Amino acid sequence: MREVEAAVVREPGTHAVETVALADPAPGEVLVDVRATGVCHTDYHAYTSAETDVPIVLGHEGCGVVKAVGDGVSTVDPGDRVVLWVLPSCGDCEYCRAGEPYLCQARRETRGRMMDGTRRLSKDGDPINHFYAQSSFATMAVVPERQVVPVPETVPYPICALLGCGVTTGLGAVTNIADVDSGETVAVFGCGGVGAGAVLAADAVSAGTIVAVDLDADTLATMREIGATHTVEAGVDDPVEEIRGLTGGVDYAFECIGTPQTVQQAIASLGPGGTAAITGTSDTPPAEIDLGQFTSGISVVGNIVGFTRPRIDIPRYARLYENGDLPLDAVLTRTYALDELGAAFDALAAGDVIRSVVEFEPGP
Ligand SMILES: [Zn+2]
Ligand SMILES: [Zn+2]
C-alpha cells in the first residue's frame, strides 16, 4: 500500500487532487510510476456524465516507468518505459485467443474495477473506482499486464501518452481497418487526437489526396503540416460538397467525432466502391443513411480503437516515430500539471487542442 496524488471525481464535472491509497499490484498486475497521460474525450465524457459511478479516478492514456510487478508477470520488469493501453482484455476468450483483443468484452465487465472485480484505490478505507483498469490521472497506477506495453526509452513520455488510445485509434483505422493504398483519396472528419492519427497514417501510406475537415482553423493548419493536402472548415463550407468537388467522392472516409451529422457526411462523401470507417462513435444517437448509395458498392465499417493489437502496433508506431516517419510532436498541443486538469478539460471541450497531456514529475 502506498499514498499517491490522484484527481478524484466525486460529483460529475468536478474533481480535486487528493492523497489516496493505492494497493500493491495483484498477480498479473503492474505498478507504474505515471509520467504522462493523455486528456481524451472519453475522459471528459465520463467526467461530465451523471451515469459515471463515483468516486472515480479517470485517465486511460498513461505511460511511465514500471516500479514493481505482481506474481506471474513476465513481459515487463521494473525500470521499463511503458505505454498503458486503454482497453482491458481477458486473454482467454475466443477473441483474445484469435489475436483480436479489441473485441474482448472484458472492458464492459470491468467497469470501475480491476480484472478480478476488486479495486486497488481507496481513501480512509473507502474504495475508489478505476477507469479502464488504469486511472492514470494519478502519480502512480496499478494496471493489468496485458495493457502494459514496453517502448524504447528514446520516445519522450508525452509522445508515449499519445500512443495509449486516441491517436493510435486513428492510425489503426487507416492501417488496420481501411488498408489505404498509395494514391487513394481520403477524407478525415474531425481532427482531434483520433483524426490527427488518421491524417498522419494516410500520409505515411502515401494517400494521394487527404482532405481534413474540422471546425477549427488552427487545427486545420496543423493538419496541413502533417500531411493533409486540402482542408475544409466545417462551419464555413459544406464538407460533402467540397470533398465531392475535389475528388468526385473519396475512396475512404474516416469519421472521428461520433455525431450523427459527421457519420452522414462521411458516408455521403464516398465515391463508388468507397469505404466509410466509423471510428468516433460511442453513445451516438441514430443517424440517417441514404440507402440508395449502397447501389454504388459502398461499405460502412465499424471498429473500436482502430482494431489495435497493442503489443504489435504500439512498438511499430514508436519505431516509426524514432525514424522520423510519424511526426507525433505536431499533434501534441499542450502539456498540463495534474492540478491543471480542469483547464485541460476546458480546452478540450472548447476544441482548442488537438491533444493535450498531463505530465508528472518523476516519483521517489
Ligand atoms: Zn482515449
Ligand atoms: Zn478476452
Side-chain angles (χ1 to χ4, degrees):
M1 189 76 86
R2 62 204 40 76
E3 288 192 335
V4 303
E5 300 298 304
V8 184
V9 179
R10 295 187 181 275
E11 272 179 56
T14 65
H15 73 281
V17 176
E18 300 181 17
T19 303
V20 301
L22 180 66
D24 291 337
E29 294 177 352
V30 178
L31 175 68
V32 176
D33 183 18
V34 178
R35 297 298 304 277
T37 189
V39 182
C40 179
H41 282 279
T42 303
D43 293 307
Y44 186 71
H45 180 72
Y47 183 59
T48 50
S49 169
E51 319 256 295
T52 301
D53 273 336
V54 292
I56 189 169
V57 175
L58 302 172
H60 65 281
E61 302 191 350
C63 66
V65 185
V66 174
K67 294 300 277 187
V69 298
D71 287 346
V73 168
S74 62
T75 55
V76 289
D77 292 308
D80 285 352
R81 181 170 301 209
V82 290
V83 167
L84 304 179
W85 178 239
V86 51
L87 281 192
S89 61
C90 76
D92 199 37
C93 69
E94 62 174 297
Y95 304 110
C96 285
R97 284 170 184 268
E100 301 171 321
Y102 38 81
L103 297 179
C104 180
Q105 297 301 298
R107 71 177 188 280
R108 299 189 194 281
E109 290 146 26
T110 53
R111 288 231 159 148
R113 304 286 200 277
M114 300 300 286
M115 299 299 289
D116 64 1
T118 63
R119 287 167 285 197
R120 309 285 167 269
L121 287 163
S122 63
K123 178 147 185 178
D124 303 329
D126 295 327
I128 296 173
N129 288 321
H130 294 257
F131 196 52
Y132 288 97
Q134 182 173 143
S135 296
S136 49
F137 288 142
T139 50
M140 297 187 104
V142 168
V143 183
E145 179 185 15
R146 290 176 56 79
Q147 288 166 256
V148 180
V149 183
V151 289
E153 289 192 5
T154 46
V155 183
Y157 289 115
I159 298 299
C160 289
L162 298 179
L163 293 177
C165 162
V167 176
T168 299
T169 294
L171 295 169
V174 172
T175 55
N176 296 337
I177 313 297
D179 201 17
V180 177
D181 281 330
S182 71
E184 289 191 302
T185 54
V186 165
V188 177
F189 289 80
C191 300
V194 178
V199 171
L200 283 167
D203 183 56
V205 300
S206 304
T209 299
I210 304 170
V211 189
V213 181
D214 199 273
L215 288 165
D216 185 76
D218 292 338
T219 295
L220 291 172
T222 304
M223 292 306 111
R224 282 193 292 275
E225 279 169 34
I226 64 172
T229 58
H230 302 78
T231 55
V232 180
E233 205 173 326
V236 177
D237 293 310
D238 178 0
V240 176
E241 228 172 74
E242 294 291 316
I243 290 165
R244 298 199 73 87
L246 280 165
T247 64
V250 283
D251 296 313
Y252 292 99
F254 296 94
E255 194 288 322
C256 303
I257 296 273
T259 68
Q261 188 190 16
T262 47
V263 169
Q264 287 161 356
Q265 289 173 339
I267 296 169
S269 70
L270 295 174
T275 300
I278 309 303
T279 303
T281 52
S282 55
D283 296 331
T284 306
E288 276 182 27
I289 301 174
D290 173 9
L291 296 175
Q293 255 196 296
F294 283 96
T295 60
S296 302
I298 65 156
S299 303
V300 179
V301 296
N303 73 90
I304 177 161
V305 297
F307 284 177
T308 297
R309 304 147 299 172
R311 299 227 164 210
I312 296 169
D313 294 328
I314 290 175
R316 191 159 61 101
Y317 300 144
R319 278 196 296 278
L320 285 169
Y321 173 78
E322 284 187 301
N323 295 341
D325 294 325
L326 198 60
L328 291 166
D329 297 277
V331 172
L332 178 65
T333 314
R334 215 170 288 162
T335 61
Y336 293 91
L338 183 62
D339 61 9
E340 299 171 318
L341 181 60
F345 277 144
D346 289 345
L348 182 79
D352 285 346
V353 291
I354 298 171
R355 213 36 156 204
S356 67
V357 161
V358 172
E359 232 184 325
F360 300 82
E361 297 297 317

